[in-house]
Amino acid sequence: MTYAAPLADIKFVLENVAGLGKVTALPVFAEATPDLVESILEEAAKIAADTLAPLNRIGDTDGAKLVDGKVRVSPGWQEAWNVLVDGGWNGLPFSPEHGGMGLPNVLNTAVHEMWQAANMAFTLCPMLTQGAVNAVESYGTAEQKALYLPKMVTGEWTGTMNLTEPGAGSDLAAIRTKAVPEGDHYRISGSKIFITYGDHEMVENIIHLVLARLPDAPAGVKGISLFIVPKFLVNADGSLGARNDAVCASLEHKLGIHGSPTAVMAFGEKDGAIGTLVGEANRGLEYMFTMMNHARQAVGLQGLAIAERAYQQALYYARERVQGKPTGWTGSGPTGIVNHPDVRRMLMTMKCQIEAMRGLIYSAAAYVDIAHNHDDAAERARAQLLADLYTPLVKGWSTELGNVIASLGVQVHGGMGYVEETGAAQHFRDARITTIYEGTTAIQANDLVLRKTLRDGGQGIRVLLADVAATADAAAAAGLAIGAKLKAAINTAIACTDWLVGAAKEDPRLPAGAAVPFLELMGIVVGAQMMAKAAVVAQGATDGFLAAKLVTADFYADHVLSKVDGLGQSIQAGSKAIMALDEALL
Ligand SMILES: Cc1cc2nc3c(=O)[nH]c(=O)nc-3n(C[C@H](O)[C@H](O)[C@H](O)COP(=O)(O)OP(=O)(O)OC[C@H]3O[C@@H](n4cnc5c(N)ncnc54)[C@H](O)[C@@H]3O)c2cc1C
């Protein structure tokens, strides 16, 4: 079973849910005509199916290896990378000034959904490279931009994100890597762990973005600076110079994404790796958030992508596998397990949440486009507020769902899902990392609750919920059942927001204990908004693609949105029990 991009739904969500039209109406995206958008999606779907998907299994069974000091990628990876470079794909969302296509972020998101679904271990490389380009484009000096961007934008050089150290994972304040000034550059030394695509031979140079501390830096997050540390130094004319003192010490052995090299990086084992400062000293973490926000949305997209892949696999298997006569089955002859009501329940559970995630993630990407490019300041501010609130939902909710859905994919296969033969098990293993890297689900929930809800007393969340309410009203006016159910869920969300703000004054541990359930609740509610938007467009349809939208919206309302009540109760009542734990944990 291979992968076929769900182009009909991708286009429907882009146009009807995420509001691609509003984005392409911005003067900066004048080039993004409907024809161009269409051909990019079609071409990207072909690359996903013909180039990347066939390599997914090979990446799993013959993953990246460190051989004689060099990282050997999986067979076929190099050729696939060349396809992306030759097509200029890496530059899709970047400014033409640096060699990019200047197209919307939301379109890039749709393209990357297909590639992540086809081959997540491979697509981590373009994902991180795009994040690195964003950081250099936003904060680099004119000289750094001229030196690094052209080849990073084409994908001739790739990029990495070097944050994590043995003592600094979720807590980046604990970073110890040192940067000592020396003339016009710095000497970097320290050890970074878990660095995705930290080394490989697919390209002639790798541009590491590294967090480190200057000798006089204040303690904590306010003393972290960001550096560019290339694998090979780059001469002023762009040619490659000496090998830098930044090497891959080893590769991790891991549960999934075997095709993605996860490197332990040793900086400055000899004289100190040469690096240049990005922006101002001690503002590194703030700059890195540019990469992290991009990466958080991109990892959330992996949750959707792996879920879609697992769904396609499960649906295919359920049609083929014959086992018993389904309850109530009146057809003649044997039929696939797809007609057992419980198998249908599992498949519908997968399908409706995939649609909700796609709406959420594409909408978040569209808000980023508007926040960066609209000429009206009020529109920019509103889009930024919503993008900021959506980002932890995209990352936290979609990756948790990716795991649940990949697990359901295994369940649909029965024993054939647990053994490796069908590929369902690989999706389950690959999905597992997505709730961990780029900040665990708890870190996303802390961002949503402690930073983005408590700091403004819940005002931002109310703006978001008012937007959801407008959709709920439209759905109710159209006579769609999801409308009234969504309105009730919004009331629960508001009650929980008020509770969080009040509880924080009583005991700061209470909102922290309720943060992950609140993130799930908000993910479900905003997901329901996406389903309702689609249903409003589909109202009245009686067959085909649009009628199916009405069915998945109903199913979502009854099977997913209905969880909001229970979550509301656990948030408001259950948090105290979490903190009364010492004996309970024994
Ligand atoms: C395959 C892979 C690829 C990776 N790629 C990269 C990369 O390219 N670049 C990079 O820099 N890093 C990378 N990472 C590192 C990754 O981002 C970290 O593993 C992640 O941030 C979690 O940090 P940790 O592993 O130290 O876990 P810890 O921080 O030790 O967390 C352990 C547990 O404690 C919880 N916890 C910790 N702090 C809090 C808190 N404040 N509130 C609530 N709960 C908390 C966590 O949620 C988690 O459940 C990668 C990791 C892996 C496994």
Tab-separated table of all heavy atoms in Angstrom, residues 161-164 169-170 194-196 254 257 262 433 436-440 442-443 446, ligand 1:
chain	number	residue	atom	x	y	z
A	161	MET	N	19.050	22.780	13.667
A	161	MET	CA	18.648	23.553	14.831
A	161	MET	C	19.306	22.869	16.038
A	161	MET	O	18.930	21.754	16.396
A	161	MET	CB	17.129	23.431	14.876
A	161	MET	CG	16.427	24.193	15.867
A	161	MET	SD	14.724	24.265	15.211
A	161	MET	CE	13.864	24.620	16.699
A	162	ASN	N	20.321	23.534	16.606
A	162	ASN	CA	21.102	22.925	17.703
A	162	ASN	C	20.764	23.577	19.025
A	162	ASN	O	21.402	24.555	19.434
A	162	ASN	CB	22.599	23.110	17.443
A	162	ASN	CG	23.155	22.127	16.441
A	162	ASN	OD1	23.852	21.184	16.799
A	162	ASN	ND2	22.842	22.352	15.178
A	163	LEU	N	19.749	23.029	19.699
A	163	LEU	CA	19.348	23.578	20.995
A	163	LEU	C	19.724	22.603	22.116
A	163	LEU	O	20.372	22.964	23.086
A	163	LEU	CB	17.822	23.770	21.047
A	163	LEU	CG	17.159	24.920	20.309
A	163	LEU	CD1	17.330	24.829	18.815
A	163	LEU	CD2	15.693	24.973	20.640
A	164	THR	N	19.282	21.354	21.964
A	164	THR	CA	19.283	20.412	23.081
A	164	THR	C	20.691	19.988	23.502
A	164	THR	O	21.561	19.748	22.657
A	164	THR	CB	18.451	19.169	22.690
A	164	THR	OG1	17.181	19.618	22.233
A	164	THR	CG2	18.259	18.236	23.864
A	169	GLY	N	16.959	20.129	27.973
A	169	GLY	CA	15.969	19.648	27.005
A	169	GLY	C	14.806	20.614	26.983
A	169	GLY	O	14.857	21.656	26.318
A	170	SER	N	13.777	20.327	27.795
A	170	SER	CA	12.661	21.275	27.892
A	170	SER	C	13.148	22.606	28.461
A	170	SER	O	12.612	23.662	28.142
A	170	SER	CB	11.574	20.718	28.814
A	170	SER	OG	11.067	19.519	28.292
A	194	PHE	N	20.778	14.905	20.018
A	194	PHE	CA	19.499	14.726	19.299
A	194	PHE	C	19.349	15.699	18.124
A	194	PHE	O	18.241	16.197	17.885
A	194	PHE	CB	18.298	14.954	20.235
A	194	PHE	CG	18.183	14.018	21.414
A	194	PHE	CD1	17.484	14.412	22.562
A	194	PHE	CD2	18.707	12.749	21.383
A	194	PHE	CE1	17.333	13.558	23.648
A	194	PHE	CE2	18.564	11.886	22.467
A	194	PHE	CZ	17.876	12.295	23.599
A	195	ILE	N	20.416	15.982	17.403
A	195	ILE	CA	20.310	16.991	16.338
A	195	ILE	C	19.908	16.337	15.013
A	195	ILE	O	20.675	15.565	14.418
A	195	ILE	CB	21.630	17.791	16.205
A	195	ILE	CG1	21.986	18.407	17.568
A	195	ILE	CG2	21.497	18.867	15.115
A	195	ILE	CD1	20.866	19.223	18.244
A	196	THR	N	18.701	16.671	14.582
A	196	THR	CA	18.120	16.078	13.370
A	196	THR	C	18.883	16.546	12.130
A	196	THR	O	19.085	17.746	11.943
A	196	THR	CB	16.631	16.476	13.284
A	196	THR	OG1	15.978	15.981	14.457
A	196	THR	CG2	15.967	15.906	12.047
A	254	LYS	N	16.934	4.548	17.522
A	254	LYS	CA	15.648	5.010	18.052
A	254	LYS	C	14.447	4.201	17.575
A	254	LYS	O	14.569	3.380	16.683
A	254	LYS	CB	15.483	6.509	17.777
A	254	LYS	CG	15.702	6.934	16.351
A	254	LYS	CD	15.931	8.443	16.292
A	254	LYS	CE	15.860	9.003	14.881
A	254	LYS	NZ	16.877	8.521	13.961
A	257	ILE	N	11.435	6.827	12.764
A	257	ILE	CA	12.152	7.727	11.837
A	257	ILE	C	13.631	7.338	11.682
A	257	ILE	O	14.525	8.172	11.785
A	257	ILE	CB	11.969	9.235	12.181
A	257	ILE	CG1	12.353	9.586	13.625
A	257	ILE	CG2	10.559	9.706	11.880
A	257	ILE	CD1	12.518	11.117	13.859
A	262	THR	N	19.835	11.283	13.664
A	262	THR	CA	19.713	12.076	14.898
A	262	THR	C	21.096	12.089	15.548
A	262	THR	O	21.527	11.087	16.125
A	262	THR	CB	18.674	11.443	15.843
A	262	THR	OG1	17.451	11.261	15.124
A	262	THR	CG2	18.414	12.321	17.047
A	433	ILE	N	7.527	10.151	18.060
A	433	ILE	CA	8.430	11.260	18.407
A	433	ILE	C	7.725	12.617	18.363
A	433	ILE	O	8.131	13.579	19.009
A	433	ILE	CB	9.659	11.277	17.452
A	433	ILE	CG1	10.667	12.363	17.880
A	433	ILE	CG2	9.268	11.486	16.003
A	433	ILE	CD1	11.212	12.243	19.255
A	436	ILE	N	7.072	14.675	21.312
A	436	ILE	CA	8.243	14.899	22.180
A	436	ILE	C	9.123	16.028	21.657
A	436	ILE	O	9.438	16.970	22.388
A	436	ILE	CB	9.057	13.583	22.316
A	436	ILE	CG1	8.205	12.508	23.001
A	436	ILE	CG2	10.357	13.834	23.088
A	436	ILE	CD1	8.814	11.119	23.002
A	437	TYR	N	9.547	15.924	20.369
A	437	TYR	CA	10.493	16.970	19.932
A	437	TYR	C	9.761	18.276	19.619
A	437	TYR	O	8.560	18.319	19.512
A	437	TYR	CB	11.421	16.506	18.812
A	437	TYR	CG	10.890	16.001	17.484
A	437	TYR	CD1	9.625	16.267	17.007
A	437	TYR	CD2	11.740	15.246	16.682
A	437	TYR	CE1	9.206	15.798	15.776
A	437	TYR	CE2	11.327	14.759	15.436
A	437	TYR	CZ	10.060	15.053	14.993
A	437	TYR	OH	9.656	14.597	13.775
A	438	GLU	N	10.558	19.346	19.543
A	438	GLU	CA	10.008	20.708	19.388
A	438	GLU	C	9.143	21.096	20.581
A	438	GLU	O	8.199	21.873	20.446
A	438	GLU	CB	9.160	20.798	18.112
A	438	GLU	CG	9.842	21.458	16.990
A	438	GLU	CD	10.833	22.498	17.429
A	438	GLU	OE1	10.478	23.501	18.095
A	438	GLU	OE2	12.011	22.295	17.118
A	439	GLY	N	9.474	20.556	21.738
A	439	GLY	CA	8.698	20.850	22.940
A	439	GLY	C	7.621	19.792	23.120
A	439	GLY	O	6.773	19.614	22.243
A	440	THR	N	7.666	19.100	24.248
A	440	THR	CA	6.678	18.050	24.523
A	440	THR	C	5.274	18.672	24.586
A	440	THR	O	5.122	19.900	24.629
A	440	THR	CB	6.977	17.383	25.876
A	440	THR	OG1	6.880	18.384	26.887
A	440	THR	CG2	8.358	16.751	25.916
A	442	ALA	N	3.371	18.855	27.054
A	442	ALA	CA	3.263	19.691	28.258
A	442	ALA	C	3.831	21.086	28.016
A	442	ALA	O	3.272	22.087	28.496
A	442	ALA	CB	4.001	19.030	29.422
A	443	ILE	N	4.916	21.155	27.244
A	443	ILE	CA	5.524	22.475	26.980
A	443	ILE	C	4.584	23.311	26.095
A	443	ILE	O	4.444	24.521	26.291
A	443	ILE	CB	6.927	22.295	26.333
A	443	ILE	CG1	7.871	21.576	27.319
A	443	ILE	CG2	7.518	23.623	25.865
A	443	ILE	CD1	8.048	22.242	28.674
A	446	ASN	N	1.830	24.454	28.421
A	446	ASN	CA	2.291	25.560	29.274
A	446	ASN	C	2.295	26.872	28.491
A	446	ASN	O	1.935	27.938	29.016
A	446	ASN	CB	3.708	25.292	29.793
A	446	ASN	CG	3.738	24.203	30.849
A	446	ASN	OD1	2.689	23.762	31.319
A	446	ASN	ND2	4.927	23.769	31.221
B	1	LIG	C1	14.462	11.964	17.349
B	1	LIG	C2	14.712	13.284	17.997
B	1	LIG	C3	15.033	14.383	17.217
B	1	LIG	C4	15.288	15.622	17.823
B	1	LIG	N1	15.709	16.691	17.043
B	1	LIG	C5	16.178	17.806	17.668
B	1	LIG	C6	16.835	18.840	16.918
B	1	LIG	O1	16.947	18.775	15.686
B	1	LIG	N2	17.359	19.908	17.591
B	1	LIG	C7	17.276	20.007	18.940
B	1	LIG	O2	17.778	20.981	19.495
B	1	LIG	N3	16.648	19.055	19.687
B	1	LIG	C8	16.115	17.958	19.083
B	1	LIG	N4	15.507	16.973	19.825
B	1	LIG	C9	15.389	17.143	21.268
B	1	LIG	C10	13.955	17.363	21.712
B	1	LIG	O3	13.513	18.637	21.335
B	1	LIG	C11	13.886	17.110	23.239
B	1	LIG	O4	14.035	15.719	23.434
B	1	LIG	C12	12.597	17.623	23.833
B	1	LIG	O5	12.567	19.025	23.833
B	1	LIG	C13	12.377	17.116	25.285
B	1	LIG	O6	13.493	17.337	26.065
B	1	LIG	P1	14.086	16.128	26.934
B	1	LIG	O7	14.268	14.972	26.016
B	1	LIG	O8	15.296	16.619	27.649
B	1	LIG	O9	12.955	15.742	27.963
B	1	LIG	P2	12.735	16.423	29.403
B	1	LIG	O10	12.811	17.894	29.276
B	1	LIG	O11	13.627	15.762	30.371
B	1	LIG	O12	11.225	16.009	29.696
B	1	LIG	C14	10.857	14.785	30.340
B	1	LIG	C15	9.385	14.880	30.765
B	1	LIG	O13	9.222	15.961	31.693
B	1	LIG	C16	8.219	16.840	31.259
B	1	LIG	N5	8.561	18.224	31.577
B	1	LIG	C17	9.784	18.811	31.526
B	1	LIG	N6	9.671	20.112	31.819
B	1	LIG	C18	8.380	20.366	32.051
B	1	LIG	C19	7.635	21.525	32.394
B	1	LIG	N7	8.210	22.718	32.521
B	1	LIG	N8	6.292	21.402	32.555
B	1	LIG	C20	5.685	20.217	32.427
B	1	LIG	N9	6.331	19.092	32.103
B	1	LIG	C21	7.662	19.166	31.906
B	1	LIG	C22	8.149	16.645	29.744
B	1	LIG	O14	6.894	17.006	29.213
B	1	LIG	C23	8.442	15.155	29.611
B	1	LIG	O15	7.256	14.432	29.773
B	1	LIG	C24	15.188	15.751	19.232
B	1	LIG	C25	14.829	14.639	20.008
B	1	LIG	C26	14.621	13.419	19.412
B	1	LIG	C27	14.310	12.239	20.296
